[in-house]
Amino acid sequence: HVQLVESGGGSVQAGGSLRLSCAASVDTSSLYCMAWFHQAPGKDHELVARIDRAGTTWYRDSVKDRFTISKDNAKNTLYLQMNSLKSEDTAMYYCAADNIYCGTGFAYWGQGTQVTVS
């Protein structure tokens, strides 16, 4: 079983930056795909960015050129660098991982970390 623990959320002014971290309980190089989702109040989970084992990344249009997903396999940690934050980025952010799939459905989830942009 894979455990994921997010950290790094908080409150920031528009235009500011935050870096989210997701510590995994397993060797992240063994995971086929890792991703960040967000969920704003009253809305569904949305995929924000994902990175596969080969390092191929995908971003939703609204965060392209502002957010960067990366992974440090030596530390078993996934990151999301968020720059030029906007009020619409306010949401709970979740880390997710899967052993065999890299789409929008993931087997393992963290508890989330809140990001508030004012």
Side-chain angles (χ1 to χ4, degrees):
H1 182 70
V2 178
Q3 292 184 318
L4 303 169
V5 180
E6 302 95 334
S7 62
S11 296
V12 64
Q13 290 188 337
S17 297
L18 283 173
R19 188 176 79 157
L20 305 184
S21 299
C22 171
S25 61
V26 300
D27 180 354
T28 50
S29 66
S30 70
L31 296 169
Y32 185 71
C33 194
M34 298 188 77
W36 289 98
F37 284 76
H38 68 198
Q39 185 175 26
K43 296 188 177 181
D44 292 334
H45 277 90
E46 292 182 332
L47 178 62
V48 175
R50 66 181 181 226
I51 183 167
D52 68 14
R53 187 181 291 157
T56 303
T57 58
W58 176 93
Y59 298 91
R60 69 181 304 107
D61 286 346
S62 61
V63 307
K64 282 180 181 177
D65 300 323
R66 297 191 299 122
F67 290 10
T68 302
I69 188 170
S70 62
K71 188 169 60 146
D72 187 337
N73 291 329
K75 296 182 178 180
N76 295 330
T77 301
L78 178 74
Y79 300 101
L80 185 68
Q81 178 67 44
M82 305 187 295
N83 298 328
S84 302
L85 282 160
K86 305 176 181 180
S87 58
E88 51 262 45
D89 296 319
T90 294
M92 186 71 81
Y93 282 73
Y94 298 90
C95 173
D98 203 279
N99 286 321
I100 59 173
Y101 183 65
C102 200
T104 56
F106 287 78
Y108 307 107
W109 293 81
Q111 294 300 305
T113 186
Q114 178 68 39
V115 171
T116 303
V117 184
S118 59

